Amino acid sequence: MIKKERATKETKISISLDDEKSFRESSISTGVGFFDHMLTLFSFHSELYLNVEADGDLEVDAHHTVEDVGIILGQMLRELYVQKESYQRYGTTYIPMDESLARVVLDLSGRPHLNFQADFSKETVGTFDTELVMEFFNAVSMNSRMTLHIDLLKGGNTHHEIEAVFKAFARSLKAALAPSDAGIPSSKGVIE
């Protein structure tokens, strides 16, 4: 289990991540209902169980909370994969969510990069600003040092569009973290 905390003038966040499944259900409370829903889906489909407690300046908006959760989660993912003696490294998943279709391709490479190609149908889902989806994944990719390509291939309902992206990310990450018999997954013999 990995636990991290972050406290700034804008947020106070604590996250525990369990990849050993000692707890089978996530507990997520960020104060941003739609974001909690997406993190719950991510946790279930990646099989990385999370306890998230976040207190942010939601009277301003959800930006700092969403970004800071992404920063911490990215740091935890980095710690998780560099501790492994072997893992698949790459993950690719297509997820349909009714009329919407998302593709996520990632590489746990030690080289951070985000290519985000998703034009959401609406600017908000409830009170959640859809532009925060890219902010979250940018924070995750930079802090985990993963190469991450996210493409929304077909859209429709904005909730479905974002849900497809989060589920595709979760499944791609699960595939990339799966054990391998090949040792360090690099011809260099190291991933930094």
Side-chain angles (χ1 to χ4, degrees), residues 115-131:
N115 186 307
F116 189 87
Q117 302 298 319
D119 293 321
F120 299 118
S121 298
K122 294 184 179 175
E123 293 181 3
T124 59
V125 176
T127 60
F128 182 83
D129 293 325
T130 58
E131 68 182 3

Side-chain angles (χ1 to χ4, degrees), residues 44-104:
F44 179 83
H45 287 279
S46 66
E47 295 185 15
L48 297 173
Y49 296 95
L50 299 172
N51 285 332
V52 180
E53 289 293 329
D55 182 19
D57 57 353
L58 298 180
E59 69 281 0
V60 175
D61 66 10
H63 182 103
H64 298 133
T65 299
V66 171
E67 183 178 40
D68 286 5
V69 168
I71 288 169
I72 298 170
L73 182 59
Q75 292 169 351
M76 296 173 102
L77 294 176
R78 170 84 174 150
E79 190 173 323
L80 184 64
Y81 78 81
V82 298
Q83 288 177 358
K84 291 181 173 288
E85 292 182 16
S86 68
Y87 55 96
Q88 295 293 330
R89 180 176 163 176
Y90 300 101
T92 301
T93 305
Y94 289 80
I95 291 289
M97 186 66 203
D98 298 343
E99 75 294 335
S100 299
L101 177 65
R103 174 183 59 212
V104 172

